[in-house]
Amino acid sequence: MWTENFSLLPYNTFGIQAHCKRFVDYQSVDELRESLKQIHHSFPIDPILCVGEGSNLLFTKDFEGTVIHSSMTDYEILPYNDQHALIKAEAGLNWDKFVAICLENKLYGLENLSYIPGTVGASAVQNIGAYGVEAEQYIYRVYAIEIATGELRTFSHNELNYGYRQSIFKQAWKGQFIITHVAYKLSLQFNPQIQYGSLSKVIAESGMSEPLTAQSLRELITKIRRTKLPEPTDLGSAGSFFMNPVVTSEKFQSLQQAYPNVPHYIVADGIKVPAGWLIEQCGWKGHRQGAAGVYDKQALVLVNHGGATGADIVALSEAICRSVDEKFGIQIKPEVNFI
């Protein structure tokens, strides 16, 4: 049923060596419910952690409880109306593979989220986003198991309190549910979302001779992301480590006076300033602190050069946050979950 003293090295892209007391891998909802029942009976006070591919986790120490992982990777396409369809995918399905499946079935909307690491289940927790698109714009239903009771639950989009890199699963319901499936409502027509500044610029400079298609947009975004993010097999990382801060218009005006070319994006609650730009202005890009470092191609990414501990990464991230606050008076926060 479970494996004891299990190494979590294959289940975190940072490449941090950590162990858990026991590890459960399940291949069906029934198997998950039975595992939870036995865990509650045998280890009633031990914590439970659900992981996917570990692309948004930083293990700071061994996990003194049970880690649960999904090997459920199937999907089904369901009719909705003459303009949309639903695709219901199991939580363990690799996210980028899921985006490819959507395009193969002529289901559109997620192209801008190509090549983001992680799983379908994690997408609904983290509300992943890139190039002006967020997962929550297309999430229709989320299916989950309540950890305490083993009960099946279904949640509509409006119940999940989505925000920038946030959901109720990271807030009030943190640690209470294991997501088993996510249903996305996607368009049957391709309507490219290319208004995002850097993306529209790259498209304009690409010199494309053919009309933009969903597949060509996916390929372009994949190419961009590959230039900015290291492959976990080469350098351990969790992708973008920090969230982009949103500042008031007054704060931005003072910032712009000192830095006229500061990149920015107008959002509903203020002005978003790229955290990577702030970090780079503080001189951190390419910096190395022992085995922990800042990626030399993208300051938003922290990396493990080999042998770094979770504590090493935390210390580096805290130093970066202090530096940005001291220089700009802006607080940046990790996007990555510390365990």
Side-chain angles (χ1 to χ4, degrees):
M1 177 71 65
W2 54 69
T3 304
E4 296 185 351
N5 191 32
F6 188 85
S7 172
L8 296 169
L9 188 61
Y11 293 94
N12 75 100
T13 57
F14 246 122
I16 302 295
Q17 183 59 268
H19 289 76
C20 60
K21 279 188 177 181
R22 65 199 67 86
F23 182 87
V24 173
D25 183 89
Y26 66 92
Q27 300 187 26
S28 70
V29 171
D30 288 343
E31 187 178 343
L32 170 59
R33 297 178 76 187
E34 180 60 29
S35 295
L36 286 172
K37 182 179 178 180
Q38 294 198 26
I39 290 166
H40 288 322
H41 175 74
S42 301
F43 313 103
I45 65 172
D46 280 6
I48 294 173
L49 174 68
C50 180
V51 303
E53 295 179 358
S55 58
N56 201 49
L57 297 177
L58 176 63
F59 286 105
T60 61
K61 56 186 177 181
D62 288 342
F63 185 71
E64 298 297 325
T66 304
V67 169
I68 295 180
H69 174 264
S70 173
S71 286
M72 296 171 57
T73 59
D74 206 354
Y75 68 93
E76 61 178 327
I77 297 173
L78 307 169
Y80 186 80
N81 59 26
D82 60 353
Q83 297 182 19
H84 299 88
L86 302 179
I87 179 167
K88 181 181 177 182
E90 294 181 332
L93 180 61
N94 173 270
W95 174 259
D96 193 55
K97 184 176 180 180
F98 173 64
V99 176
I101 288 168
C102 292
L103 266 61
E104 289 167 5
N105 287 278
K106 298 181 171 54
L107 300 176
Y108 306 109
L110 303 179
E111 303 80 38
N112 291 36
L113 305 184
S114 294
Y115 210 62
I116 292 178
T119 61
V120 168
S123 73
V125 175
Q126 185 68 13
N127 185 22
I128 58 175
Y131 302 107
V133 172
E134 291 185 335
E136 65 96 1
Q137 296 170 237
Y138 300 96
I139 289 174
Y140 183 73
R141 291 275 191 273
V142 174
Y143 304 81
I145 296 291
E146 187 172 22
I147 292 175
T149 65
E151 291 183 5
L152 299 168
R153 299 286 299 275
T154 302
F155 303 106
S156 67
H157 172 277
N158 292 337
E159 295 177 84
L160 301 177
N161 291 359
Y162 280 118
Y164 174 57
R165 302 296 183 273
Q166 289 294 334
S167 73
I168 199 167
F169 296 115
K170 292 181 68 176
Q171 300 165 342
W173 295 351
K174 185 175 182 180
Q176 295 183 31
F177 295 93
I178 295 176
I179 293 175
T180 61
H181 301 75
V182 183
Y184 276 84
K185 177 184 170 185
L186 301 179
S187 176
L188 300 176
Q189 301 293 324
F190 173 53
N191 298 300
Q193 304 295 314
I194 57 174
Q195 299 84 5
Y196 193 85
S198 60
L199 180 59
S200 60
K201 182 180 178 181
V202 169
I203 291 173
E205 294 174 348
S206 67
M208 286 185 176
S209 56
E210 299 293 331
L212 188 67
T213 66
Q215 185 60 37
S216 62
L217 178 57
R218 169 171 161 75
E219 291 171 358
L220 181 61
I221 287 174
T222 298
K223 182 178 179 181
I224 294 170
R225 291 185 65 85
R226 279 179 168 161
T227 65
K228 292 183 176 182
L229 298 173
E231 294 291 341
T233 52
D234 299 328
L235 269 179
S237 86
S240 299
F241 193 91
F242 300 97
M243 294 185 286
N244 294 320
V246 176
V247 301
T248 64
S249 57
E250 292 79 12
K251 178 64 181 179
F252 176 73
Q253 287 172 8
S254 66
L255 180 63
Q256 195 174 41
Q257 287 178 357
Y259 301 89
N261 296 320
V262 54
H264 61 282
Y265 309 93
I266 298 174
V267 294
D269 53 347
I271 298 175
K272 186 182 293 185
V273 180
W277 182 86
L278 296 169
I279 295 166
E280 187 171 350
Q281 300 309 303
C282 293
W284 287 99
K285 188 176 182 180
H287 175 84
R288 184 165 175 171
Q289 194 167 290
V294 181
Y295 193 41
D296 59 5
K297 295 181 181 178
Q298 170 55 269
L300 195 60
V301 178
L302 302 191
V303 295
N304 177 4
H305 287 284
T309 65
D312 294 334
I313 302 294
V314 170
L316 176 59
S317 71
E318 290 176 344
I320 290 170
C321 290
R322 287 194 300 270
S323 177
V324 170
D325 193 15
E326 290 169 0
K327 185 176 181 66
F328 296 105
I330 296 174
Q331 294 183 348
I332 59 173
K333 298 179 180 179
E335 177 179 337
V336 172
N337 296 309
F338 294 4
I339 305 297

